Amino acid sequence: MSSQESASSPSTSSSPVSPASASSTAAQETAPTRVAVVTGGSRGIGRETVRRLAADGFAVVVGYAGNREAAEQAVEQVTAAGGRAVAVRADVADEEQASALFDVAEAEFGGVDVVVNAAGRMHLASVVDTDLAELDAMHRTNIRGGFVIAQQAARRIREGGAFIAFSTSVVGLAFPGYGAYTASKGAVEALTLILARELRGRNVTANAVAPGPTATELFLDGKDEETIARLASQPPLERLGTPQDIAEVVAFLASPAGHWVNGQVVRANGGII
């Protein structure tokens, strides 16, 4: 008997599909794809978040500022694993480019369910020595950019969705040299907590994730081995965090299981504070 005949012929050993099973299968097939927009998605925590959300079944829009090659690699990593993703260049502080980023999500995948604003800029110096041009550039990305993305998220996220911003545990640690950077992230925390309350009635959550020292290019840049070792020894878990550690927290907040967490700053730092 050919394989085609076997597939179409009745068999006494096959079990009939119950109406309930058929209904469940149909529901899964017709359920809309959940869609995530991840800014800063070409490297570090943002890139790992792209991979992690795609593994959970999200179609992902990878927002990036300038490294097209890295963004395309992030997309290829998702598609190679059977997922769906597209890369879009956008300056998060430019409202027109940010709006276009969300337009792509809606046009390509049908809507927006989760927004992760992982785009950020960090410049370290004492308050006395901080170059005000660096201050302005950092605050443009972290504060204005954070606000623009939050604004688009509030306008676009569908019911049941989530907005996830990024702060830093240094807001609590108060490390010298982080004054300007931490000031910008304190603004992100305040904005996110207020947004959670303004989204009342939408069934949409807003939280900020505040990593501790995490082994990313952004964090490691400019630090000597002694400094890195000292920072790694400070948490009770005695290591630096990894992008995977942080992406797991983001994935939880983006999932139905994490939906009761709302209006919070989640410090993911191994217990350093």
Side-chain angles (χ1 to χ4, degrees):
M1 181 180 293
S2 70
S3 60
Q4 182 176 6
E5 290 171 335
S6 176
S8 60
S9 301
S11 170
T12 57
S13 63
S14 63
S15 301
V17 177
S18 69
S21 297
S23 175
S24 175
T25 300
Q28 291 175 359
E29 291 176 350
T30 59
T33 299
R34 298 193 77 203
V35 181
V37 174
V38 181
T39 68
S42 64
R43 63 178 186 164
I45 292 170
R47 179 162 177 170
E48 183 59 26
T49 296
V50 168
R51 187 203 65 78
R52 183 62 179 80
L53 293 179
D56 280 349
F58 282 87
V60 186
V61 176
V62 180
Y64 70 99
N67 194 333
R68 178 179 178 180
E69 181 179 0
E72 290 180 345
Q73 288 172 355
V75 169
E76 290 169 4
Q77 184 179 27
V78 170
T79 56
R84 301 170 67 195
V86 61
V88 180
R89 183 173 184 174
D91 175 357
V92 293
D94 184 308
E95 61 270 37
E96 293 185 359
Q97 292 185 35
S99 180
L101 175 69
F102 282 76
D103 288 345
V104 170
E106 293 175 341
E108 291 286 330
F109 301 127
V112 177
D113 299 288
V114 169
V115 174
V116 181
N117 186 29
R121 185 183 182 101
M122 182 167 67
H123 174 75
L124 302 183
S126 68
V127 172
V128 169
D129 294 328
T130 295
D131 184 322
L132 294 184
E134 290 285 357
L135 175 75
D136 290 343
M138 184 162 50
H139 284 204
R140 183 181 183 277
T141 298
N142 296 353
I143 297 179
R144 179 186 168 91
F147 192 95
V148 169
I149 296 301
Q151 185 178 64
Q152 286 295 323
R155 292 171 176 171
R156 310 269 196 139
I157 291 177
R158 296 186 284 207
E159 181 179 358
F163 170 73
I164 301 159
F166 269 88
S167 179
T168 172
S169 287
V170 181
V171 171
L173 289 164
F175 285 155
Y178 283 77
Y181 176 70
T182 301
S184 73
K185 291 302 186 176
V188 169
E189 290 189 6
L191 170 63
T192 304
L193 302 192
I194 291 170
L195 180 61
R197 287 148 181 80
E198 292 182 350
L199 291 171
R200 176 183 291 273
R202 294 269 303 278
N203 191 27
V204 172
T205 63
N207 294 287
V209 175
T214 305
T216 65
E217 180 183 343
L218 182 66
F219 174 78
L220 297 174
D221 184 42
K223 294 182 176 67
D224 58 35
E225 291 186 9
E226 181 181 351
T227 299
I228 294 169
R230 177 174 52 81
L231 290 169
S233 70
Q234 290 186 10
L237 297 183
E238 297 184 313
R239 65 173 176 85
L240 294 178
T242 67
Q244 291 83 356
D245 292 326
I246 310 306
E248 288 293 336
V249 177
V250 173
F252 172 70
L253 294 173
S255 73
H259 203 65
W260 190 237
V261 182
N262 187 30
Q264 304 299 313
V265 177
V266 181
R267 287 179 174 172
N269 56 35
I272 195 171
I273 186 171

